[in-house]
Amino acid sequence: MEDKVTINDVAKLAGVSKSTVSRYLNKGYISTEKQERVRAAIAETGFKSNFFAKRLKTKESKLIGIVLPRMDSVSVGKLLSGFARIFEPAGYQQLLLVSGLDGKKELQNMESLLQQGVDGIIVDSVGITKKHKALAKSSGLPMVITGQSAEGLECIKIDDYGAGHMMGAYLRSLGHRRAVFAGVTETDTAVGVERRQGFVDGFVKGEPKARVDFVQTGFDFLSAYNKAADILSYKPSVIVGATDNISLGILRCLHERGIKVPQEISVAGFGGYDVGAVVYPALTTIFFDYELVGMKAAQFLLDKLSGKSREENLDMPLLFVERESVRNLTKGTNGEKMGFQSMV
Amino acid sequence: MEDKVTINDVAKLAGVSKSTVSRYLNKGYISTEKQERVRAAIAETGFKSNFFAKRLKTKESKLIGIVLPRMDSVSVGKLLSGFARIFEPAGYQQLLLVSGLDGKKELQNMESLLQQGVDGIIVDSVGITKKHKALAKSSGLPMVITGQSAEGLECIKIDDYGAGHMMGAYLRSLGHRRAVFAGVTETDTAVGVERRQGFVDGFVKGEPKARVDFVQTGFDFLSAYNKAADILSYKPSVIVGATDNISLGILRCLHERGIKVPQEISVAGFGGYDVGAVVYPALTTIFFDYELVGMKAAQFLLDKLSGKSREENLDMPLLFVERESVRNLTKGTNGEKMGFQSMV
DNA sequence: CTGTTAGCGCATTCAG
DNA sequence: CTGAATGCGCTAACAG
């Protein structure tokens, strides 16, 4: 522990008062001569100002609390990259807490962060409850939610309903009438409800009637893989996974059963993970720019911190990625592009 | 900001001195009667102890600094999960800094963390320099390195050389004589040097002579995919990617060229990412338990913090995962398992 | 068991 | 421009 050097030691060595050193550290208001003496003294002693003492005075921690459902997922990784790109240059650091997909833990983590004296909080939630809202209110701290949306809270997320709808409409336009949506539980409002509902709305609209069945899976490859029999029992012409990973699990199973994709069955997903491009057939999907979400959320929080409460558009762009796993039933192949590219 | 309530307010309301409140918060040493009064007062005021004031006194931050090269990678995600599993129950929180694969930034981040008053640091480095060592020494703080190993520093990582060697020996035993190792630059000592060298040593040993050529790629699918022509020009019977992602990029390219895996060329990788199991053919690989690495590193740091300097075995288990992408040249198929399963 | 007394290291009035 | 004095909120001796 070399941090015995305090502002006092520096002051002594430089032959000035500690207030002068303090001023040197912060504003200016110091003669160029003493300025030099202090600089030298600091260099010599290797002085580092004590973080806690400083914060105790200034009431600003320059700390942002981040609460995450889990760490080992591509989307969370991207999100964090986005946060870092904004917070680091701004001189903020991130305090990270993981809730393990557990709502209770999520709340605990939020409280814990508040107590740590963070300046603001970002929660990548798996499901907002009234308690979340209460906490947000009572804390009085800027808080932004990511991954879910909830009234009364500031949320920044991709448009799950819109993405679902886009995919549904796309598939329908290609002549598909029987779809299975393989998705997660409804406690995940964003993915389990909004994305799915968007898909249904986009798919069943119009004549002739179309139908979508639902099969529940987890978020991982394996749980999707294991549900393949259920899924197939509905005799769909297209299977859409709520997530690229789900679709990948399905793809694997289809392959094992010798079912050709997209010739016999089409598959699509959501997320736009890189890996979807290297599997065979490459997965048609909708790309979500989680890194951008992270950046927007971080910037939004920073703006709140500095008073600017800009109420601008928080919709994230959606990018349709048409690849090889979906067949165009109206043409007989999947060759024809339909100008269904980058959309918002 | 409701944090106007201090320990003083609580004391007043409870009709005791603030030391009593402090004692209530920490040790015990308080009569059950006052204990109740304090409890009530705290509940009523919604008092939260001020983190910074507390730390200013105790000199303990209960904060662990984590510096990472990047966030958007599976292995880093696993690692972080591992950290969290140890630190959270122990009451430590994690301060996260991302260096963007930049060595300078990595150092800066380490310094920044030291200044924040963290109790210890974990660095998942991309390459240790003498400056890292100097910083570790001068700081006097417990520091553990992950991802790389370096003398004079406490490192916890998977055995890259061993993994490479295991893979090399395995492939060789299957009758392969011409391999291409597709890997990253040598500045990444662990992956670019150790893993590769292990492979070479394991592969070329014995008679008849075997040969391995080297092709440099990045860490991503695409950069590997783009190098496929180079790789193929060596006419290998097996291609091994330094990373599963590299192998996946190669697999994709092989598929596009109509080259059958493993019938015409075998492919293997390192990492054991889940996705390797769902692609076709499923990728033979060596599984690295990064989450375990994270847990070990975290526990090691905690032990140092509490004085226990256990010098035990820090080797991580390696799990050989034999799947579909490698052909046994001695049998003509890839069917025969060789008892080459879980090893350490 | 409990109240009183001191600071932790720093930023900030306030007079010079 | 600068030094002396005053807490920030809390914990840790210190005497009761």
Side-chain angles (χ1 to χ4, degrees):
Chain A
M1 307 293 176
E2 260 330 340
D3 57 33
K4 300 289 286 183
V5 270
T6 84
I7 200 174
N8 258 310
D9 303 318
V10 176
K12 220 162 295 172
L13 205 155
V16 299
S17 76
K18 53 179 185 179
S19 348
T20 303
V21 178
S22 176
R23 275 192 280 269
Y24 171 86
L25 262 14
N26 304 302
K27 331 255 180 183
Y29 254 43
I30 178 174
S31 64
T32 41
E33 178 225 350
K34 305 211 164 183
Q35 189 166 324
E36 171 53 24
R37 300 227 305 270
V38 173
R39 198 200 50 66
I42 288 182
E44 184 171 342
T45 56
F47 165 81
K48 302 276 187 229
S49 82
N50 181 303
F51 180 73
F52 301 108
K54 183 169 197 158
R55 294 324 176 202
L56 179 54
K57 287 296 293 186
T58 63
K59 305 296 190 188
E60 242 201 353
S61 65
K62 287 285 184 181
L63 241 37
I64 302 292
I66 311 277
V67 4
L68 264 18
R70 46 193 296 231
M71 280 298 329
D72 52 351
S73 111
V74 189
S75 47
V76 170
K78 298 279 186 199
L79 196 65
L80 282 172
S81 293
F83 293 159
R85 285 173 66 146
I86 299 299
F87 287 135
E88 296 211 359
Y92 281 81
Q93 310 215 310
Q94 304 169 63
L95 209 46
L96 203 76
L97 260 33
V98 180
S99 320
L101 293 167
D102 174 357
K104 286 217 180 52
K105 192 77 192 300
E106 192 167 287
L107 264 333
Q108 274 177 228
N109 282 342
M110 289 168 67
E111 289 199 69
S112 165
L113 250 14
L114 291 172
Q115 191 178 145
Q116 303 294 292
V118 298
D119 291 341
I121 293 187
I122 296 184
V123 184
D124 184 34
S125 181
V126 289
I128 301 295
T129 67
K130 45 244 84 180
K131 297 198 177 177
H132 285 74
K133 300 187 185 181
L135 208 58
K137 295 280 168 280
S138 70
S139 73
L141 278 193
M143 179 176 305
V144 7
I145 307 293
T146 260
Q148 302 287 325
S149 65
E151 289 182 73
L153 294 179
E154 324 242 37
C155 305
I156 296 196
K157 63 187 282 290
I158 50 118
D159 179 4
D160 282 288
Y161 182 90
H165 196 280
M166 186 185 292
M167 181 62 83
Y170 168 77
L171 260 18
R172 176 59 185 267
S173 77
L174 255 39
H176 290 274
R177 297 283 177 274
R178 297 286 303 246
V180 167
F181 188 90
V184 300
T185 160
E186 302 191 358
T187 57
D188 186 324
T189 313
V191 179
V193 179
E194 294 172 16
R195 192 177 297 177
R196 170 183 170 185
Q197 191 56 49
F199 178 77
V200 171
D201 291 351
F203 191 74
V204 304
K205 193 164 48 188
E207 289 297 331
K209 284 294 172 235
R211 164 172 171 183
V212 16
D213 292 293
F214 182 72
V215 173
Q216 182 169 321
T217 72
F219 272 111
D220 56 312
F221 301 125
L222 189 61
S223 79
Y225 176 89
N226 288 334
K227 285 297 178 64
D230 286 22
I231 293 171
L232 259 15
S233 71
Y234 290 106
K235 308 268 180 216
S237 70
V238 57
I239 302 170
V240 2
T243 267
D244 281 354
N245 278 355
I246 293 173
S247 304
L248 257 25
I250 292 167
L251 236 32
R252 169 77 198 185
C253 182
L254 260 24
H255 173 85
E256 287 179 4
R257 293 173 181 237
I259 299 174
K260 296 268 179 283
V261 177
Q263 292 82 351
E264 300 175 55
I265 293 189
S266 295
V267 175
F270 292 90
Y273 306 155
D274 289 352
V275 65
V278 302
V279 297
Y280 180 76
L283 188 65
T284 287
T285 185
I286 292 182
F287 173 75
F288 298 146
D289 194 342
Y290 287 111
E291 185 163 354
L292 183 60
V293 171
M295 292 175 65
K296 291 269 192 185
Q299 191 56 57
F300 185 80
L301 193 60
L302 251 29
D303 287 347
K304 293 201 69 176
L305 249 22
S306 59
K308 303 180 232 161
S309 69
R310 69 196 169 90
E311 204 55 67
E312 73 171 56
N313 183 330
L314 299 179
D315 287 353
M316 294 297 120
L318 257 23
L319 183 67
F320 197 91
V321 183
E322 196 171 19
R323 292 198 283 229
E324 308 162 346
S325 62
V326 171
R327 180 173 169 206
N328 183 341
L329 263 26
T330 68
K331 310 278 183 174
T333 82
N334 69 322
E336 335 298 317
K337 296 288 173 288
M338 342 176 14
F340 220 96
Q341 285 301 337
S342 166
M343 299 180 52
V344 175
Chain B
M1 308 292 175
E2 260 330 340
D3 57 32
K4 300 288 288 182
V5 269
T6 83
I7 199 174
N8 258 310
D9 303 319
V10 176
K12 220 162 295 172
L13 206 155
V16 300
S17 76
K18 53 181 185 176
S19 354
T20 304
V21 178
S22 175
R23 274 192 279 271
Y24 170 86
L25 263 14
N26 304 302
K27 331 256 180 183
Y29 255 45
I30 178 173
S31 66
T32 41
E33 178 226 350
K34 306 211 162 182
Q35 188 166 324
E36 171 53 25
R37 299 227 305 271
V38 173
R39 198 200 50 66
I42 286 183
E44 184 171 340
T45 57
F47 165 81
K48 302 278 186 229
S49 84
N50 181 305
F51 180 73
F52 301 107
K54 182 167 196 161
R55 294 323 177 201
L56 179 55
K57 284 298 293 185
T58 62
K59 305 296 192 189
E60 241 200 355
S61 65
K62 286 285 185 181
L63 241 36
I64 301 292
I66 311 277
V67 5
L68 264 18
R70 45 192 297 228
M71 281 298 330
D72 52 351
S73 112
V74 188
S75 47
V76 169
K78 298 277 187 201
L79 197 64
L80 283 172
S81 293
F83 293 159
R85 286 174 66 147
I86 299 299
F87 287 136
E88 296 211 0
Y92 282 81
Q93 310 214 310
Q94 304 169 64
L95 208 46
L96 202 75
L97 259 32
V98 180
S99 320
L101 292 166
D102 174 357
K104 287 218 180 54
K105 191 78 192 300
E106 191 167 288
L107 265 331
Q108 275 177 228
N109 283 341
M110 289 169 68
E111 289 198 68
S112 167
L113 249 15
L114 290 172
Q115 191 177 148
Q116 303 294 293
V118 298
D119 291 341
I121 292 186
I122 296 184
V123 184
D124 184 34
S125 182
V126 289
I128 301 295
T129 66
K130 44 247 81 181
K131 297 198 179 179
H132 286 74
K133 300 187 185 180
L135 208 59
K137 295 280 169 283
S138 71
S139 74
L141 279 192
M143 179 176 305
V144 6
I145 307 293
T146 261
Q148 302 288 326
S149 65
E151 289 182 72
L153 294 179
E154 324 243 37
C155 305
I156 296 195
K157 63 187 283 292
I158 49 117
D159 179 3
D160 282 286
Y161 181 90
H165 196 280
M166 185 185 292
M167 181 61 83
Y170 168 76
L171 259 17
R172 177 59 185 268
S173 77
L174 255 39
H176 290 274
R177 295 283 177 276
R178 296 285 304 245
V180 168
F181 188 90
V184 300
T185 161
E186 301 191 357
T187 58
D188 186 325
T189 312
V191 179
V193 178
E194 294 172 15
R195 193 177 297 176
R196 171 184 170 184
Q197 191 56 49
F199 178 77
V200 171
D201 291 352
F203 191 74
V204 304
K205 193 164 44 189
E207 289 297 332
K209 284 294 173 238
R211 164 173 170 182
V212 18
D213 292 292
F214 181 71
V215 173
Q216 182 169 322
T217 72
F219 273 112
D220 56 312
F221 300 125
L222 189 61
S223 80
Y225 175 88
N226 289 333
K227 285 297 179 64
D230 286 23
I231 293 171
L232 258 15
S233 71
Y234 290 106
K235 309 270 180 213
S237 70
V238 58
I239 302 170
V240 3
T243 268
D244 281 354
N245 278 355
I246 292 173
S247 304
L248 258 25
I250 291 167
L251 235 32
R252 169 76 199 186
C253 181
L254 260 24
H255 173 85
E256 287 178 5
R257 294 174 179 237
I259 299 173
K260 296 267 180 284
V261 176
Q263 293 81 351
E264 300 175 53
I265 293 188
S266 295
V267 175
F270 292 90
Y273 306 156
D274 289 351
V275 65
V278 302
V279 297
Y280 181 75
L283 188 66
T284 287
T285 185
I286 292 182
F287 174 75
F288 297 147
D289 195 341
Y290 287 110
E291 185 162 353
L292 183 60
V293 171
M295 292 175 64
K296 291 270 192 184
Q299 191 55 57
F300 185 80
L301 193 59
L302 251 30
D303 287 347
K304 293 202 68 177
L305 249 22
S306 59
K308 303 180 230 161
S309 69
R310 70 197 168 93
E311 204 56 65
E312 74 171 54
N313 183 332
L314 300 178
D315 287 352
M316 294 297 119
L318 257 23
L319 183 67
F320 198 91
V321 182
E322 196 171 21
R323 292 198 284 228
E324 308 162 346
S325 62
V326 172
R327 179 173 169 208
N328 183 341
L329 263 25
T330 68
K331 309 278 183 174
T333 83
N334 68 322
E336 336 297 319
K337 296 287 174 288
M338 346 176 9
F340 219 97
Q341 286 300 339
S342 165
M343 299 180 52
V344 175

